[in-house]
Amino acid sequence: MFFSPKTGAHAVGGAIAGEYERVGGPASVLGLPTSDETATPDHKGRYQQFQGGTMYWTPATGAHYVGGAILAKYASAGYERGRLGYPLTSETKLASGAFNQFTGGYVYWSPRTAATIVPAGPIFAEWGRLGYESGRLGYPVLDPLPVPGGTISRFEHGTISAVNGTTRVQ
């Protein structure tokens, strides 16, 4: 049970409590809980809100938190009922940014780029082959766009397309 005059009293339990403790509890970026644990709208999992983000849990994915600009992108994509699905990782810090992996893709963020979706599959695999955000393409800068026969993703220094089974870097 956690309490502050600003957030009220909220219990944190189960797998959400385990992940909360692992990332540093109230001293972490999450801060104190601001809600009780609640069923997700699709009834497949649970979530709990904290000062610095939201923790999600399902039996299949475990408990993971999403915060800041990545949480805002997740919200704009429809949360767990959108194309990203549930988080598979808590926010992972990078040298100059952060990301979360979701069942339907990834969201990357850096101080110089907005939170952006990178689709799972051939585009992500090619970006990885090129060194991810540390490679020649840098961070993603635009959510994937549908094109006839596939998808294109824009990065700081080029694009990757996956069209009709062919992946191409430009």
Side-chain angles (χ1 to χ4, degrees):
M1 181 70 68
F2 294 90
F3 170 80
S4 83
K6 185 177 179 181
T7 62
H10 302 285
V12 181
I16 288 177
E19 181 66 358
Y20 184 52
E21 184 178 313
R22 186 192 74 76
V23 301
S28 73
V29 67
L30 287 173
L32 292 169
T34 60
S35 76
D36 292 325
E37 186 177 302
T38 305
T40 54
D42 68 0
H43 302 287
K44 293 180 182 176
R46 311 278 298 167
Y47 74 96
Q48 186 165 9
Q49 296 173 326
F50 294 82
Q51 291 171 304
T54 303
M55 186 85 68
Y56 292 87
W57 172 87
T58 72
T61 62
H64 306 288
Y65 83 88
V66 184
I70 294 174
L71 179 58
K73 176 57 73 172
Y74 187 48
S76 73
Y79 294 107
E80 75 280 351
R81 291 199 269 183
R83 66 182 175 176
L84 288 169
Y86 280 93
L88 293 173
T89 65
S90 285
E91 184 174 295
T92 302
K93 299 292 183 204
L94 301 167
S96 62
F99 78 93
N100 276 83
Q101 180 182 5
F102 297 85
T103 54
Y106 302 78
V107 177
Y108 277 77
W109 170 89
S110 81
R112 65 182 187 274
T113 61
T116 306
I117 296 170
V118 180
I123 289 176
F124 186 78
E126 186 64 19
W127 187 47
R129 191 183 71 71
L130 296 171
Y132 298 108
E133 75 285 348
S134 298
R136 70 179 175 99
L137 293 179
Y139 276 90
V141 295
L142 191 63
D143 290 341
L145 297 170
V147 295
T151 304
I152 188 169
S153 287
R154 296 190 193 288
F155 296 84
E156 291 176 290
H157 309 291
T159 63
I160 301 175
S161 61
V163 178
N164 297 324
T166 301
T167 304
R168 185 173 177 189
V169 178
Q170 294 181 310

